[in-house]
Amino acid sequence: MLASVLPLRTPVPYGEAMATTDGCRRLYLIRHGETLYGGGGAGPLAGDDLTERGYRQIEVLAELFTVVPLDAIYASPLGRAQATAETIARRNGARVITVDALREIQPGDFGGTEIPAIFAAVRAFFASPDTDWDTPYLGGETYRQLRERVWPLIEEHGRRRDWRRVAVVAHGGVNNAVIGRVLGAEGPGLANIDQDFGCVNMIDYGGDRPVLRLLNFTAYDPLKTGLEVSSLDVLRDVLESAFQVSFDQGVPK
C-alpha cells in the first residue's frame, strides 16, 4: 500500500552523491570483541585476545568495513583491541596505529583478587547512584581522568581537515568517556550509555563540532534480539561459563 503513495528510491552506492559529502569527516568508535579478560594477559582484566565468538563478531563488522576507505585505524595497546583492529585491517587494508592513551580505564592494584570479586566490584561501581566522573574506578583512575587522557585524540581530529574517515578501536570505558563528552554529559552521574562487545559508534564532523550519528550498533545482531540484557550481564555470563563459577554465589557451577 505504501508503494502506491511513496516514490520508489534508487539505492545510492557508497561514496556517490547523497552518501557522503566533501565536508563530512567521520570517526568510527569501536569496542573490541568478546574477551575473557586476563586469559593470556599479565593479570586480572589485562586481556590478551578475543574468544572464538569475539572473532566472529569482529569478522562481521570487518565485512562492512571492506567498502569503507579508512585513513587509519587507531587502537589501544591492549591485546583485545589489537586483535580487533588487526581483524578489521586485514579486510580493509588500513594501517593500524597503536595509541597508548586509548587503553582501558585503569583500576587500582587488585593483587591476587579473583575474577568473581573483581566483577562484583565493577558491577557495584556502575550500579551505585553515588558514582560520578570523579569517583575512582576500583581505587584507580576516575572517568574524568580517563576522559582527559583520551579526548586530545578526538579533539585533534575535530581541528584537522586532512582526513575523511578513521576508526578508533578501544574499550567500553573509553567509549563511554568519549561519547559522554560528545553528548555534553557532565554529571552528576556518568552518561547512561551501554557498549556491547564488538559495537561501533559513529561521530561526524561538519566543522569543529562532533555529532553522534550512530550509537552501540552491533553488526552481528543489528536489532539486538540476542542482546536484551546489559553488556555487564553479557560479560558475567561469558566469564561464568569460561571459569565455571557462579559470580552471584562465588561457588563452582
Side-chain angles (χ1 to χ4, degrees), residues 21-26 71 74 153-166 204-210:
T21 65
D22 290 340
C24 177
R25 290 160 292 145
R26 177 162 291 172
D71 296 312
Y74 298 102
L153 174 68
I154 309 301
E155 188 175 43
E156 177 188 2
H157 281 79
R159 293 193 304 265
R160 288 170 48 188
R161 298 293 190 274
D162 59 346
W163 64 283
R164 290 294 302 280
R165 304 174 191 89
V166 299
D204 277 358
Y205 293 86
D208 295 341
R209 177 171 170 260

Side-chain angles (χ1 to χ4, degrees), residues 132-153:
D132 60 28
W133 287 94
D134 295 304
T135 303
Y137 176 67
L138 311 189
E141 197 172 25
T142 69
Y143 258 80
R144 190 179 305 278
Q145 291 170 330
L146 169 64
R147 189 178 65 184
E148 295 309 308
R149 163 162 60 85
V150 174
W151 188 250
L153 174 68

Side-chain angles (χ1 to χ4, degrees), residues 55 59 83 85-94:
Y55 275 108
E59 285 288 356
E86 292 293 348
T87 300
I88 295 172
R90 280 195 294 272
R91 302 293 296 274
N92 181 273

